[in-house]
Amino acid sequence: MREDESVPPRSRQAARLRPLLTAAALATVCLITAGCGDDGTGRAEPRPGTAAPSGAPSSAPAGTASASKSPSPAPTSGKPLPRGPLTGRTVVIDPGHNPRNRDHTREINSQVDIGTGRKECDTTGTATDAGYPEARFTLDVSRRLRTLLEAEGAKVVLTQDDDRPFGPCIDERARIGNEAGADAVVSVHADGSAVGNRGFHMILPAAVRGGAADTAEIVAASRDLGERIAGNFVRVTGSAPSNYVGGNTGLDTREDLGGLNLSTVPKVFIECGNMRDPKDAALLTSADWRQKAALGIAEGIGSYLKR
């Protein structure tokens, strides 16, 4: 579930996939635009009127919170990185939410500036009906993704590694990628929508300018990154694009997410599946499938960075 889904999203554009630049990606674009694999594993993202996320935080209290008073981002594994095709590249992985956010509802409900307005610091995320939390899913996939990227020589930073009491807030999540000078940032999520809503989708930044937000320099690069991840995700996992977001393209452009608005480096969100749909939940709770999800994302990032 994305960072601030408790606030109804504003304008959403269904984006059409441009042809991807690599031969492997080109082969997968046809799958996405044709809505291939309707029985594939997907994910979904809650929309107004859909099932509410588990443990959603209460309304925000008066006052504001500073996201700068929190611990530093999680470092890489600490082991010397092998030389590989991604040597010299920096990737920031943003595991959505935090397993302990639900114990800090006052803090995560405090408002932060996202450039075009104010939003909650963070949310608790959703969970499967059996109680498997989105925050645990995002951490697992992000750690697997880190291992894969480091094996290719990339420097990887996690915005959190279950090493802090809550958060980080959405503005700090953006700032971590910016300050790292990341070549790519991917925020990992899963959805909490209605039963029957299935299929993954990428969330891409819209052209936004206001306050501290100005995405003009990252819109095109972020779209390229998102398209490449989408193509590789289809190929590796067999998942289909969302059947209820993005017009069957697997892409959704948003202007109301602080994690994208405040980014100055290429960044996308990926919603990996709908935790409230039984078929998707069975995939999201499978360690084997989570490894495939991490691999699909890693290969998409690699395709983007090697272009």
Side-chain angles (χ1 to χ4, degrees):
M1 187 174 300
R2 61 185 179 274
E3 64 191 29
D4 51 9
E5 67 185 16
S6 59
V7 179
R10 293 184 291 173
S11 65
R12 298 182 180 190
Q13 306 164 250
R16 296 181 61 86
L17 282 177
R18 293 187 289 104
L20 304 184
L21 303 182
T22 64
L26 281 168
T28 59
V29 172
C30 63
L31 298 177
I32 296 176
T33 54
C36 67
D38 55 299
D39 188 55
T41 64
R43 56 210 134 171
E45 144 186 310
R47 298 293 174 181
T50 63
S54 172
S58 57
S59 59
T64 62
S66 171
S68 61
K69 298 179 181 178
S70 21
S72 299
T76 59
S77 62
K79 299 177 182 178
L81 295 174
R83 291 199 63 79
L86 300 185
T87 294
R89 299 290 198 159
T90 298
V91 179
V92 171
I93 304 302
D94 180 27
H97 313 288
N98 181 313
R100 290 187 291 277
N101 273 0
R102 63 184 62 252
D103 299 324
H104 296 272
T105 54
R106 182 181 64 82
E107 291 90 343
I108 68 170
N109 281 324
S110 296
Q111 301 275 300
V112 298
D113 188 356
I114 65 164
T116 56
R118 301 189 72 81
K119 290 283 181 72
E120 288 88 349
C121 159
D122 202 0
T123 65
T124 59
T126 189
T128 65
D129 289 342
Y132 178 54
E134 178 189 2
R136 288 294 175 195
F137 169 83
T138 66
L139 271 172
D140 184 75
V141 172
S142 295
R143 288 165 174 167
R144 294 170 186 269
L145 180 53
R146 174 176 59 191
T147 298
L148 292 166
L149 292 171
E150 287 184 341
E152 295 284 294
K155 175 185 176 182
V156 180
V157 176
L158 265 60
T159 59
Q160 60 95 8
D161 197 5
D162 197 14
D163 54 354
R164 52 193 297 159
F166 67 92
C169 293
I170 56 179
D171 56 345
E172 185 186 358
R173 290 175 186 266
R175 188 163 59 250
I176 290 169
N178 298 344
E179 293 179 352
D183 296 291
V185 184
V186 177
S187 189
V188 179
H189 288 261
D191 210 354
S193 189
V195 173
N197 286 344
R198 302 190 64 197
F200 81 93
H201 65 278
M202 311 298 305
I203 304 179
L204 314 177
V208 170
R209 187 172 185 180
D214 186 354
T215 61
E217 297 298 319
I218 68 164
V219 168
S222 297
R223 173 172 289 276
D224 187 18
L225 173 62
E227 289 176 350
R228 289 170 182 270
I229 293 175
N232 282 278
F233 201 83
V234 168
R235 179 177 56 80
V236 175
T237 68
S239 297
S242 170
N243 63 9
Y244 67 105
V245 176
N248 293 317
T249 66
L251 303 177
D252 187 32
T253 302
R254 297 283 303 279
E255 61 178 23
D256 62 319
L257 299 182
L260 296 180
N261 289 355
L262 299 175
S263 184
T264 59
V265 293
K267 182 173 181 178
V268 297
F269 282 41
I270 181 166
E271 294 280 355
C272 295
N274 180 11
M275 300 196 105
R276 297 307 184 86
D277 178 86
K279 293 180 180 178
D280 272 9
L283 297 167
L284 296 166
T285 54
S286 162
D288 287 344
W289 190 88
R290 293 195 299 271
Q291 183 64 27
K292 291 179 181 178
L295 181 59
I297 298 169
E299 294 196 356
I301 294 171
S303 171
Y304 170 77
L305 294 180
K306 297 171 192 174
R307 74 197 190 287

